[in-house]
Amino acid sequence: DHPGGPDVVSCLAGKDATCDFEDIAHSDSARDWANKYIIGYMEGIDDDIKMAKRIPKTSELKSKPGGGGEGLMILLSVLVVGFAAVAYFVLKA
């Protein structure tokens, strides 16, 4: 019953979905809901997370300098707006 549809989950089946999960910036209620579906932990995961047996709340996440996809999201946004502007002017001509 994933709000984004079953394909969102099934395309990540058998893979580490941590980055994909975190990139979406899921709410704490989504994190609580997802706790029911934890089936294991990847090798090298923090012992604190394993002991808690739950996905950390947003406020509990460690900030990683230089990490995250903020820069990529800005670039993607600029590209989408740029392509939309080009398409607008080409179709208008």
Side-chain angles (χ1 to χ4, degrees), residues 46-89:
D46 287 342
D47 287 335
D48 295 341
I49 294 172
K50 279 194 242 181
M51 297 294 284
K53 296 185 178 171
R54 64 178 178 80
I55 297 171
K57 301 281 188 196
T58 306
S59 61
E60 298 169 345
L61 295 174
K62 295 178 184 173
S63 177
K64 296 179 182 176
E70 298 89 16
L72 182 60
M73 290 305 294
I74 292 171
L75 175 63
L76 183 59
S77 299
V78 169
L79 288 174
V80 168
V81 171
F83 283 125
V86 169
Y88 172 78
F89 288 112

Side-chain angles (χ1 to χ4, degrees), residues 17-26 31 67-70 72-73:
T18 304
C19 290
D20 296 278
F21 186 87
E22 295 302 343
D23 284 348
I24 299 300
H26 283 90
R31 292 167 180 277
E70 298 89 16
L72 182 60
M73 290 305 294

